[in-house]
Amino acid sequence: MAAENSQFSIINSQFSTWIWYPGDFEVWLGNIFNNRRTERGAMFPPFWKQDSHYVTVEFSKAFTLDHEETITIAAEGQYNFALDGKLQYIPLTSHSSPLTSHILPLTSKFTIPAGKHKLNIKVWNQATPPALFITGDTIHTDSSWLATYEDKLWIDENGVAHGSGIYVPAASWHFDAIDTPPSSFRLEREELRPVSATTPDVSPSATTPDGSPSGVLYDFGRETFGYLKVVGLKGTIRIYYGESAEEALDKEHCETLDVLTSDIRHQTSDIASKAFRYVYIEKEAGADYDEVLMDYEYAPHNASHSGSFRCSDDLINNIWDVAAYTMDLTTREFFMDGIKRDRWTWSGDAIQSYLMNYYLRFDTECVKRTIRQLRGKDPVTAHVNTIMDYTFYWFKSIHDYYEYTGDDAFVREMWPRMVTLMDYVESRLSPARGGSPATTPDTSGMAEGQADDWIFVDWVDFPMHKRGTLCFEQILLMKAMETMALCAKLLGINKSDYRVKAEQLRNKIKQTFWSYDKRAYYHAVEEGTMNTQITKFPNMFAILYGLAYEEERREIMQSVMLNPDIPAITTPYMRFYELETLLIDGRHEQVLQEMRDYWGGMLHEGATTFWEKYNPEESGTQHLAMYGRPYGKSLCHAWGASPIYLLGKYYLGVRPTKPGYEEFEVRPSLGDLDWIEGDVPTPNGMIHVSMNREQMKVHASEGQGWLIVGDQRIKVRANEEVTIQISNTQ
Amino acid sequence: MAAENSQFSIINSQFSTWIWYPGDFEVWLGNIFNNRRTERGAMFPPFWKQDSHYVTVEFSKAFTLDHEETITIAAEGQYNFALDGKLQYIPLTSHSSPLTSHILPLTSKFTIPAGKHKLNIKVWNQATPPALFITGDTIHTDSSWLATYEDKLWIDENGVAHGSGIYVPAASWHFDAIDTPPSSFRLEREELRPVSATTPDVSPSATTPDGSPSGVLYDFGRETFGYLKVVGLKGTIRIYYGESAEEALDKEHCETLDVLTSDIRHQTSDIASKAFRYVYIEKEAGADYDEVLMDYEYAPHNASHSGSFRCSDDLINNIWDVAAYTMDLTTREFFMDGIKRDRWTWSGDAIQSYLMNYYLRFDTECVKRTIRQLRGKDPVTAHVNTIMDYTFYWFKSIHDYYEYTGDDAFVREMWPRMVTLMDYVESRLSPARGGSPATTPDTSGMAEGQADDWIFVDWVDFPMHKRGTLCFEQILLMKAMETMALCAKLLGINKSDYRVKAEQLRNKIKQTFWSYDKRAYYHAVEEGTMNTQITKFPNMFAILYGLAYEEERREIMQSVMLNPDIPAITTPYMRFYELETLLIDGRHEQVLQEMRDYWGGMLHEGATTFWEKYNPEESGTQHLAMYGRPYGKSLCHAWGASPIYLLGKYYLGVRPTKPGYEEFEVRPSLGDLDWIEGDVPTPNGMIHVSMNREQMKVHASEGQGWLIVGDQRIKVRANEEVTIQISNTQ
């Protein structure tokens, strides 16, 4: 995968695939994806700018033919076709409106004589991304073709062409058949039946006591996602969805609902996909139906290239399974936050999904799609998702992606949009301290939230300001700058100023926020004054993002992370990072216990997927409420699945030490378990690890690495199993 | 018109109109418009970036209702609807795919209780601009509504909304009925018949001597534009269009053609509009048809609010009429360069169309549409039409627009995009002279063409470099900077640095390019050395754009404009400016003679509209060739119509002296004519002028002005005719 994608290499593939302008498929699909959110029947698009694909794109390639060759050209959109700079006649009848989406593309055939040639094809499509498919004996559209949105090719009064557009390699994925163009993309489906259908004893809430016939509550057995199908419908029915039975039965407050009427010829596909475990259906007078089913919708994955985990504790195994199912439900066209409510891509949520995904499905296409979509297009008019922290995570996610995949072609593709996003960030940094007295903390060059920025950090249950210059944000910004420096170096771009800027910021964060007294980073500078609140947020990111070196890290663990006086984190979102610091500190037993309490706690409450937020001190329907709404909380939220990542990286102990697992290390740890066993996917292979109290085994199918036990480093070569015995004194 | 558009005023209209995000209608329509160009049956989109509308737009308004009110909501696109921040249920069945264009919008009804309310509606549409129409007793969508493409309205964990999007007044035009949304926009049509149908004596050229039956040549009597209709078609026919009979009969080289087949159920509308006077049709074996007609397509205009001109010389009258017809053919959804070939909007062509239009139809909506479309969207990745001069004209066109209309609302609308375009220009200016010796000409802060810039100036028939730092370009840049300064001042924006920059550039142009010896501006600095060629281009713009003051102007007239050793201009494009300098110099008789020779020359050659280029020294089919193609030249080109502007501004002598004709001057001039008479439209009225050797009459229906005769200034008041006698010694 990494090899195939290597930078700008010319691939002469033996088959054709649909091509388009890089990022445009994601921008277009992202709008469809994010606009599927509904709230009680109303569409709920995001509050950030939705971009559009480039509506006119030119594709080109030069080649030499030994023999005359007849090619078939198909395009999504109206197109032209120039051979060696000369436009060719395409009969009018093969044109269609560029304003509608095409499920079946328009095709024509053309014969090209032997010799050296250049093909240029321009495709225009307002509704879906302009896309091209050409196939012949030797001519195939693929990523060796170039794409541009402005060729700048002008013709002077003598008919001579001049110009200098900017060309990039065309994008492609797996659309390898002429009749499956990009706009036809759909996830997979599988029919499921409810496990029970009951008439509720207690009459559900109703707006009016109209004596309407009582309905039926269907239970699909666990949280699921897809398209409800009502077979044999006559008349009108009302459908109330619930992640809990309480929600489905609360007609006034359930988050999603539908009204279906048979006489407008509804097909199954007319009911938009929903997240639910329960469905409560009421019939209007005279209405009836035969059966209720659903089409479960999912992104297919390769089971033989997936992570796994098993151990001696069934509760931990159960947590891993439910976390994996939570991930599978939220891994879709893009990584989604939660399946019921937002159904959006959120950068802060996504970066965790990516990391979990590297230990579960290794679906790098979904990572790339999500990164592209979150970035969208220039001009940058807001932070990613409007959230400052989410912009910074976006940069970090490219760092992580490169680390796990070694795919520099993607870094190269994203680089121009990284630069313009960082330009936006830098244009909003605090100016050099002018007249402010030297005694006030120096926040020049730091990122302070502006009126139109959302500073998220976390949903917290304790008082915490999000105004001023937050230490947490600066650490993320430092990492973003370091990512810029890393990528510039990787691409051979002379932008060493990012390295300097990151280093300057690193020093300034320490000077400004570190308390030598408290051995901790303070929270923020507000209006020239230090807010000396201490929270886990900046302190744990100081550890995770490499601001704190070993000695300081140990101090922070004691003064903050293990200090019971510091307010607790209550979202799985930040527990992800919190637990990682504990594991870096070697507290594997403690973290297993935290998993049993926290994730086990959700299972104990009946969770079939992990939640957006969990407070063990709440009970009953309190667990369902959030955002001031009784069922506002998402019960299937990607950030709840962090055990996948933690168990893979810190118990199986596998991580890349050179990009794309060219080199890796395996540092297994049992914690309090008797045995563990599992797999971690790598770009083109798998690493299998098993450990019990007596021995460890490692097998890797690509790359090379080290099995690390205490101070020992044992070399692991591809396809050679390494077994070592553990001394009792370990 | 100016009054109605005044800045951000809240209009409580009595009727509803479709609204959308400003500029989006033009971006969308502009793509359709520019992509209609074909070359011998192949689509020919522009080589610059085609932008897209914002695909998701929110519209909002706050209001107070005395009584409960039921509103009808219609949208082009999928939409939601929030009352006082709460999303309302809209039945699923009123949703439709956002991926197709809607001719009939989707509607629903909603009842709002009495009281103070806020409505927020989000509309998503990939294919056509999201648009909204709401109508009720008192609630009407109009330009008092606000629009945004990102509301940045986020909801915290307690359900509290926060946010700070940027809102602008919604755009609207004349789409005042619920069933005529913006995407339904079409020009008017009128059926026309050919004036003759002949079988050519000489067999037309053919690729193969296949003995195909000879065809029929239809002549529509003069240049026209629209949709050919073939009635009763059976089988397949081949259609060759020609602006000349030669072109239509040259099947191998005519610029546009069609193949029509009856069995694919072609409707009239399936033949794209074409420009032609002649149509040559050949039938394939077995084909036949009953009749050939056309639908002439045109932008409607208000005859009672149009300019007119009549004088004692029928040739001049004929020139005016043919120029007016040329303008009417090229005034469409946008101002077009020429109707046969490009059919594109070009900024340099358009600025002349605007000026002519102020003296012909005063179609300010078409001016605004064209300015918006030429600008497109951010980010700026190229000059307007990729041409540096065309960027600078774009700024100047806003200056002109404001002068003729006084419409500051439009200036306010365009301001953000003026700033970002000027940012692009400034980012490419030459840096301060570093190590270069003080003896080389100083071009720091000047605009030199870069690799991806097209430097157009003019199509010239003599050797002239377009490389280096051209004096011509700097004068246009100076005017662009001055426009920025003027608009900043008008809008009360503190951007006085544009004034300073313009002033600095003015001084530097003079220091660098003015030859005290030659009394002229030199052509360019190339690689540190002055190219001392003298052309009319920089020198006439020094006069027209206010670089040269009176004394210098007179010198330039003698040393350059009237100097027979300076190479002649051969395009009507630059003759427009050349003749204006002669008229500023008071050479009205000479310019009439030039019109008789040059435009009269085209008429003598049989022109029914004016051409893209005319060289009186050529003859026969030489007049048809350009761009290396035998029929490449456009025979109906907007820039050929400049007599409209020159006769209105310098013979009728009417021009605004305060924005929007709040004040004006009338300075009539007969030249060598016995009498002249005509009308000039103003924003909401007309100025009528007549003059003969004895007297002048002026009548204005709005504003106030001065009739200027020699040193005399006679006040003209609205609706009071002023008549003055002219002494014989005049």
Side-chain angles (χ1 to χ4, degrees):
Chain A
M1 193 169 289
E4 274 180 27
N5 281 335
S6 63
Q7 46 166 313
F8 288 77
S9 62
I10 300 305
I11 302 155
N12 284 302
S13 59
Q14 296 310 302
F15 65 91
S16 303
T17 191
W18 283 91
I19 58 174
W20 58 88
Y21 194 91
D24 273 2
F25 176 67
E26 288 79 3
V27 163
W28 167 79
L29 187 62
N31 292 348
I32 296 174
F33 183 87
N34 286 326
N35 288 348
R36 286 187 189 131
R37 176 175 180 174
T38 58
E39 189 175 294
R40 293 192 61 79
M43 177 198 183
F44 196 153
F47 44 83
W48 53 80
K49 178 174 59 127
Q50 296 204 302
D51 292 304
S52 181
H53 52 274
Y54 293 114
V55 296
T56 306
V57 174
E58 195 220 47
F59 303 96
S60 60
K61 188 174 176 177
F63 51 85
T64 303
L65 292 184
D66 292 338
H67 307 284
E68 173 184 289
E69 180 168 336
T70 296
I71 56 172
T72 300
I73 308 173
E76 285 206 288
Q78 192 169 327
Y79 67 97
N80 71 18
F81 166 56
L83 177 65
D84 303 325
K86 189 170 165 49
L87 284 173
Q88 303 298 312
Y89 178 75
I90 299 176
L92 184 81
T93 53
S94 72
H95 285 184
S96 83
S97 166
L99 305 178
T100 54
S101 69
H102 312 295
I103 296 306
L104 284 180
L106 305 160
T107 62
S108 61
K109 283 182 184 291
F110 197 83
T111 300
I112 303 171
K116 212 170 163 180
H117 295 293
K118 187 160 190 207
L119 281 187
N120 295 69
I121 294 98
K122 262 187 196 171
V123 186
W124 170 41
N125 191 335
Q126 295 283 144
T128 70
L132 180 69
F133 184 97
I134 295 183
T135 187
D137 284 345
T138 68
I139 301 173
H140 304 287
T141 42
D142 58 25
S143 59
S144 70
W145 286 60
L146 297 176
T148 187
Y149 56 84
E150 52 176 2
D151 56 10
K152 295 188 179 179
L153 195 80
W154 55 275
I155 294 161
D156 72 16
E157 72 269 47
N158 301 312
V160 180
H162 308 255
S164 58
I166 293 173
Y167 297 84
V168 298
S172 63
W173 182 23
H174 65 190
F175 302 106
D176 302 332
I178 198 165
D179 57 354
T180 57
S183 76
S184 70
F185 176 63
R186 301 286 182 277
L187 298 178
E188 300 291 316
R189 297 188 190 193
E190 183 190 334
E191 192 172 89
L192 297 182
R193 282 158 193 282
V195 296
S196 74
T198 52
T199 305
D201 296 340
V202 181
S203 182
S205 69
T207 30
T208 52
D210 61 351
S212 59
S214 72
V216 177
L217 180 70
Y218 298 89
D219 178 5
F220 284 82
R222 62 172 181 170
E223 177 90 11
T224 188
F225 190 96
Y227 303 87
L228 200 73
K229 301 196 290 189
V230 181
V231 180
L233 175 64
K234 291 176 196 68
T236 296
I237 58 170
R238 292 172 185 277
I239 304 169
Y240 305 92
Y241 301 90
E243 290 188 309
S244 60
E246 291 88 338
E247 183 180 9
L249 291 170
D250 191 341
K251 298 192 293 182
E252 278 299 279
H253 298 103
C254 66
E255 294 276 317
T256 57
L257 50 79
D258 274 318
V259 178
L260 268 197
T261 300
S262 58
D263 61 11
I264 53 162
R265 283 181 299 149
H266 260 293
Q267 304 296 321
T268 300
S269 61
D270 281 329
I271 312 185
S273 63
K274 298 283 190 311
F276 55 91
R277 170 175 170 174
Y278 299 92
V279 179
Y280 177 66
I281 299 183
E282 281 191 350
K283 298 181 238 182
E284 290 200 349
D288 206 358
Y289 58 87
D290 301 330
E291 195 179 9
V292 171
L293 303 166
M294 75 166 292
D295 274 341
Y296 171 64
E297 189 191 45
Y298 63 97
H301 60 256
N302 181 351
S304 67
H305 191 233
S306 287
S308 69
F309 184 85
R310 272 297 168 273
C311 69
S312 53
D313 181 340
D314 279 347
L315 178 56
I316 297 293
N317 290 339
N318 198 5
I319 288 169
W320 193 92
D321 288 344
V322 170
Y325 183 54
T326 302
M327 271 300 290
D328 282 345
L329 282 170
T330 55
T331 304
R332 316 196 65 83
E333 294 92 338
F334 306 96
F335 289 104
M336 188 181 260
D337 63 334
I339 65 176
K340 175 173 73 174
R341 197 192 56 233
D342 287 14
R343 309 178 57 163
W344 288 345
T345 48
W346 289 98
S347 181
D349 306 52
I351 193 173
Q352 297 192 353
S353 291
Y354 307 152
L355 289 170
M356 299 172 203
N357 168 68
Y358 298 132
Y359 289 92
L360 186 62
R361 305 297 177 201
F362 213 85
D363 184 345
T364 52
E365 291 297 328
C366 193
V367 176
K368 290 194 287 184
R369 287 199 301 273
T370 309
I371 290 175
R372 290 185 185 113
Q373 193 237 105
L374 284 167
R375 176 59 186 82
K377 293 220 165 172
D378 290 335
V380 180
T381 59
H383 281 295
V384 176
N385 306 125
T386 77
I387 303 177
M388 190 200 277
D389 359 343
Y390 281 28
T391 291
F392 302 151
Y393 287 128
W394 183 86
F395 288 100
K396 173 63 161 62
S397 73
I398 292 174
H399 192 291
D400 293 344
Y401 175 80
Y402 180 63
E403 196 164 57
Y404 279 92
T405 68
D407 172 10
D408 54 1
F410 181 66
V411 175
R412 190 176 298 277
E413 178 196 322
M414 295 314 296
W415 177 253
R417 297 186 194 187
M418 294 172 73
V419 169
T420 45
L421 182 57
M422 187 51 84
D423 286 348
Y424 176 80
V425 169
E426 292 192 65
S427 74
R428 293 159 81 91
L429 298 182
S430 300
R433 46 199 298 157
S436 58
T439 50
T440 61
D442 181 7
T443 58
S444 63
M446 291 190 182
E448 178 176 359
Q450 299 190 21
D452 55 344
D453 296 340
W454 180 3
I455 305 298
F456 180 62
V457 189
D458 193 15
W459 297 132
V460 289
D461 289 336
F462 56 88
M464 182 182 87
H465 286 179
K466 293 182 179 179
R467 57 179 182 251
T469 305
L470 271 67
C471 180
F472 163 81
E473 299 285 343
Q474 312 321 312
I475 297 173
L476 269 57
L477 172 58
M478 178 197 82
K479 197 71 191 174
M481 289 279 192
E482 286 179 4
T483 299
M484 291 302 291
L486 175 97
C487 294
K489 190 176 167 197
L490 174 69
L491 303 175
I493 291 163
N494 188 12
K495 271 279 197 183
S496 59
D497 48 341
Y498 290 122
R499 171 67 58 204
V500 173
K501 286 170 183 171
E503 205 53 45
Q504 285 172 342
L505 185 58
R506 171 185 291 269
N507 294 334
K508 190 168 275 186
I509 294 170
K510 198 153 273 183
Q511 283 162 21
T512 303
F513 294 102
W514 177 251
S515 165
Y516 286 90
D517 183 31
K518 306 281 189 182
R519 317 311 294 175
Y521 286 95
Y522 283 143
H523 179 61
V525 174
E526 293 175 34
E527 294 174 3
T529 303
M530 185 63 67
N531 175 337
T532 59
Q533 184 175 22
I534 294 172
T535 71
K536 291 183 175 173
F537 305 115
N539 288 287
M540 66 193 187
F541 279 90
I543 294 172
L544 295 168
Y545 282 7
L547 175 63
Y549 292 103
E550 190 53 21
E551 174 63 26
E552 186 181 306
R553 184 189 70 69
R554 274 196 288 264
E555 289 177 349
I556 289 173
M557 288 310 294
Q558 295 306 319
S559 57
V560 183
M561 300 311 292
L562 300 168
N563 180 347
D565 295 336
I566 302 296
I569 288 172
T570 52
T571 59
Y573 177 50
M574 281 290 148
R575 296 228 79 191
F576 178 106
Y577 296 113
E578 180 185 27
L579 295 183
E580 187 162 15
T581 64
L582 296 178
L583 290 166
I584 289 171
D585 206 45
R587 299 177 181 275
H588 289 74
E589 294 188 20
Q590 180 184 344
V591 170
L592 283 171
Q593 199 48 50
E594 297 260 10
M595 284 188 196
R596 291 179 186 109
D597 292 347
Y598 190 83
W599 280 268
M602 284 189 258
L603 293 182
H604 187 75
E605 297 285 348
T608 60
T609 47
F610 289 123
W611 304 350
E612 181 173 18
K613 196 162 180 284
Y614 171 57
N615 186 342
E617 287 164 22
E618 293 175 339
S619 65
T621 56
Q622 284 184 308
H623 287 306
L624 308 176
M626 202 169 168
Y627 305 101
R629 306 198 301 269
Y631 311 101
K633 188 184 289 173
S634 159
L635 299 190
C636 175
H637 223 71
W639 73 28
S642 57
I644 296 288
Y645 170 69
L646 300 172
L647 292 167
K649 186 170 178 187
Y650 293 97
Y651 294 82
L652 297 180
V654 176
R655 66 181 187 89
T657 51
K658 281 194 181 173
Y661 283 93
E662 188 187 335
E663 286 185 18
F664 54 84
E665 78 177 27
V666 183
R667 195 191 291 261
S669 182
L670 285 174
D672 57 16
L673 300 167
D674 292 329
W675 59 267
I676 58 174
E677 177 164 12
D679 298 282
V680 173
T682 64
N684 299 295
M686 296 291 286
I687 298 175
H688 183 81
V689 180
S690 64
M691 179 181 189
N692 59 28
R693 302 251 164 231
E694 284 79 44
Q695 64 174 25
M696 293 180 187
K697 284 188 187 172
V698 175
H699 179 275
S701 60
E702 65 166 337
Q704 59 173 11
W706 283 266
L707 172 59
I708 300 182
V709 190
D711 296 338
Q712 273 189 285
R713 286 165 63 88
I714 300 106
K715 181 91 183 207
V716 180
R717 290 189 175 79
N719 296 313
E720 290 179 18
E721 188 173 73
V722 173
T723 305
I724 59 164
Q725 304 302 319
I726 304 167
S727 63
N728 282 339
T729 58
Q730 180 241 352
Chain B
M1 194 169 290
E4 275 180 24
N5 281 336
S6 63
Q7 47 165 312
F8 288 77
S9 60
I10 300 303
I11 302 156
N12 284 302
S13 58
Q14 296 311 301
F15 64 91
S16 303
T17 191
W18 283 91
I19 57 174
W20 59 88
Y21 194 91
D24 273 3
F25 176 67
E26 288 80 2
V27 162
W28 167 78
L29 187 62
N31 292 348
I32 296 174
F33 183 87
N34 286 327
N35 289 348
R36 286 187 189 130
R37 176 174 180 175
T38 58
E39 188 175 295
R40 294 191 60 80
M43 177 199 183
F44 197 153
F47 44 83
W48 51 82
K49 178 173 60 125
Q50 296 204 302
D51 292 304
S52 181
H53 52 273
Y54 293 114
V55 295
T56 306
V57 175
E58 195 220 46
F59 302 96
S60 61
K61 188 175 178 178
F63 50 85
T64 303
L65 293 184
D66 292 337
H67 307 284
E68 173 183 288
E69 181 168 334
T70 296
I71 57 173
T72 301
I73 308 173
E76 284 206 288
Q78 192 169 328
Y79 67 98
N80 72 17
F81 165 55
L83 176 65
D84 304 325
K86 191 172 163 47
L87 285 173
Q88 303 297 313
Y89 178 74
I90 299 175
L92 183 83
T93 53
S94 71
H95 285 183
S96 83
S97 166
L99 305 178
T100 55
S101 69
H102 312 294
I103 296 307
L104 284 179
L106 305 158
T107 62
S108 61
K109 283 182 184 291
F110 196 84
T111 300
I112 301 170
K116 214 171 162 178
H117 295 292
K118 187 160 191 209
L119 281 187
N120 295 69
I121 294 98
K122 264 188 194 170
V123 186
W124 171 41
N125 191 335
Q126 296 283 144
T128 71
L132 179 69
F133 184 96
I134 295 183
T135 187
D137 285 345
T138 68
I139 300 173
H140 303 288
T141 43
D142 58 24
S143 59
S144 69
W145 285 60
L146 297 176
T148 187
Y149 56 84
E150 53 176 0
D151 55 11
K152 295 188 179 180
L153 195 80
W154 55 276
I155 294 161
D156 71 17
E157 70 269 46
N158 302 312
V160 179
H162 307 255
S164 58
I166 293 172
Y167 296 84
V168 297
S172 63
W173 182 25
H174 67 191
F175 302 106
D176 301 333
I178 198 166
D179 57 353
T180 58
S183 76
S184 69
F185 176 63
R186 301 286 182 276
L187 298 177
E188 300 290 315
R189 298 187 188 191
E190 184 191 333
E191 193 172 270
L192 298 181
R193 282 158 194 281
V195 297
S196 73
T198 52
T199 305
D201 295 340
V202 182
S203 183
S205 69
T207 30
T208 52
D210 61 352
S212 59
S214 71
V216 177
L217 180 70
Y218 298 90
D219 177 5
F220 284 82
R222 62 172 179 169
E223 178 90 11
T224 188
F225 190 97
Y227 303 86
L228 200 74
K229 301 195 290 189
V230 181
V231 181
L233 175 64
K234 290 175 198 69
T236 296
I237 57 170
R238 292 172 185 275
I239 305 169
Y240 305 92
Y241 300 91
E243 290 189 310
S244 59
E246 290 88 339
E247 182 180 9
L249 291 170
D250 191 341
K251 299 191 292 181
E252 279 299 281
H253 298 103
C254 66
E255 294 276 318
T256 58
L257 50 79
D258 275 318
V259 179
L260 267 196
T261 300
S262 59
D263 62 10
I264 52 161
R265 283 181 299 149
H266 261 293
Q267 304 296 321
T268 300
S269 60
D270 281 330
I271 312 185
S273 63
K274 299 282 189 311
F276 56 90
R277 172 175 170 175
Y278 299 92
V279 178
Y280 177 66
I281 299 183
E282 280 190 350
K283 297 182 237 181
E284 289 200 348
D288 206 359
Y289 57 86
D290 300 331
E291 196 179 7
V292 170
L293 303 166
M294 75 167 293
D295 274 342
Y296 170 65
E297 189 192 44
Y298 62 98
H301 60 256
N302 181 351
S304 67
H305 191 233
S306 287
S308 69
F309 184 85
R310 274 294 169 273
C311 69
S312 52
D313 181 341
D314 278 347
L315 178 56
I316 296 293
N317 291 339
N318 199 4
I319 289 170
W320 193 93
D321 289 344
V322 170
Y325 183 55
T326 302
M327 272 300 289
D328 282 345
L329 282 170
T330 55
T331 304
R332 315 196 66 84
E333 295 91 338
F334 306 95
F335 288 104
M336 187 181 261
D337 64 333
I339 65 176
K340 174 174 73 174
R341 197 193 57 233
D342 287 14
R343 308 178 58 163
W344 288 345
T345 48
W346 289 98
S347 180
D349 306 51
I351 193 172
Q352 298 192 353
S353 291
Y354 308 152
L355 290 169
M356 300 172 203
N357 168 67
Y358 298 133
Y359 290 92
L360 185 62
R361 305 295 178 203
F362 213 85
D363 184 345
T364 52
E365 291 297 329
C366 192
V367 177
K368 289 194 287 183
R369 286 198 301 273
T370 309
I371 290 175
R372 289 185 186 113
Q373 193 239 104
L374 283 168
R375 176 59 186 83
K377 293 220 165 172
D378 290 335
V380 180
T381 59
H383 281 295
V384 176
N385 307 124
T386 76
I387 302 177
M388 190 200 277
D389 0 341
Y390 280 27
T391 291
F392 302 151
Y393 287 129
W394 184 85
F395 287 100
K396 172 62 159 65
S397 73
I398 292 175
H399 192 291
D400 294 343
Y401 175 80
Y402 179 63
E403 196 165 57
Y404 278 92
T405 68
D407 172 11
D408 54 2
F410 180 67
V411 176
R412 190 175 298 276
E413 178 196 322
M414 295 313 296
W415 177 253
R417 297 186 194 186
M418 294 171 72
V419 170
T420 44
L421 182 57
M422 187 52 84
D423 287 348
Y424 177 81
V425 168
E426 292 191 66
S427 75
R428 294 160 81 90
L429 297 182
S430 299
R433 47 199 296 156
S436 58
T439 49
T440 61
D442 180 8
T443 57
S444 62
M446 291 189 184
E448 178 175 1
Q450 300 190 22
D452 55 343
D453 296 339
W454 180 2
I455 305 297
F456 180 62
V457 189
D458 193 15
W459 297 132
V460 290
D461 289 336
F462 56 89
M464 182 181 88
H465 285 180
K466 293 182 179 178
R467 57 178 182 251
T469 305
L470 271 66
C471 180
F472 163 82
E473 299 285 343
Q474 312 320 313
I475 298 172
L476 269 57
L477 171 57
M478 178 197 82
K479 197 71 192 174
M481 289 279 193
E482 286 179 1
T483 299
M484 290 302 291
L486 175 96
C487 294
K489 190 176 167 196
L490 173 70
L491 302 176
I493 291 163
N494 187 11
K495 272 279 198 183
S496 59
D497 49 341
Y498 289 123
R499 171 68 58 204
V500 173
K501 286 170 183 171
E503 203 56 44
Q504 285 172 342
L505 185 59
R506 170 184 291 270
N507 294 333
K508 190 168 275 187
I509 294 169
K510 197 153 273 183
Q511 284 161 20
T512 304
F513 294 102
W514 178 250
S515 165
Y516 285 90
D517 182 31
K518 306 280 189 182
R519 317 313 292 173
Y521 286 95
Y522 283 142
H523 180 61
V525 175
E526 292 175 34
E527 294 174 2
T529 304
M530 185 63 67
N531 174 337
T532 59
Q533 183 175 21
I534 294 172
T535 71
K536 290 183 175 173
F537 305 116
N539 287 287
M540 68 192 186
F541 278 90
I543 293 172
L544 295 169
Y545 283 8
L547 175 64
Y549 292 103
E550 190 52 22
E551 175 62 25
E552 187 180 307
R553 185 189 68 71
R554 273 196 287 264
E555 290 177 349
I556 289 173
M557 289 309 295
Q558 294 306 319
S559 57
V560 182
M561 301 310 293
L562 300 168
N563 180 348
D565 295 336
I566 303 296
I569 288 172
T570 51
T571 61
Y573 177 50
M574 281 288 149
R575 296 229 79 190
F576 178 105
Y577 296 113
E578 180 185 29
L579 294 183
E580 188 162 14
T581 65
L582 296 178
L583 290 167
I584 289 170
D585 206 45
R587 299 177 181 275
H588 290 74
E589 294 189 21
Q590 180 184 345
V591 169
L592 283 171
Q593 201 46 51
E594 297 261 10
M595 285 188 195
R596 292 180 186 110
D597 291 348
Y598 190 83
W599 281 267
M602 284 190 257
L603 293 182
H604 186 74
E605 297 285 348
T608 60
T609 46
F610 289 123
W611 304 349
E612 181 175 16
K613 195 160 179 287
Y614 171 59
N615 184 342
E617 287 165 21
E618 293 175 339
S619 65
T621 56
Q622 285 184 308
H623 287 306
L624 308 176
M626 202 170 169
Y627 305 101
R629 305 199 300 269
Y631 312 101
K633 188 184 289 173
S634 160
L635 299 189
C636 174
H637 223 70
W639 73 29
S642 57
I644 296 287
Y645 170 69
L646 300 172
L647 291 167
K649 186 170 178 187
Y650 293 97
Y651 294 82
L652 297 180
V654 176
R655 66 181 187 91
T657 51
K658 281 194 180 173
Y661 283 93
E662 187 187 334
E663 286 185 17
F664 54 84
E665 79 176 27
V666 183
R667 196 191 290 261
S669 182
L670 284 174
D672 59 15
L673 300 166
D674 292 330
W675 59 266
I676 58 173
E677 177 164 11
D679 297 281
V680 173
T682 64
N684 299 295
M686 296 290 287
I687 297 174
H688 183 82
V689 180
S690 63
M691 179 180 189
N692 59 29
R693 304 248 164 232
E694 282 80 45
Q695 64 175 24
M696 296 180 186
K697 284 188 188 174
V698 175
H699 178 275
S701 59
E702 66 166 338
Q704 59 173 12
W706 281 267
L707 174 59
I708 300 182
V709 190
D711 296 338
Q712 272 190 287
R713 286 166 63 88
I714 300 104
K715 180 90 181 206
V716 180
R717 289 187 176 78
N719 297 312
E720 291 179 18
E721 188 173 75
V722 173
T723 306
I724 58 166
Q725 304 302 319
I726 303 167
S727 63
N728 282 339
T729 57
Q730 179 242 355

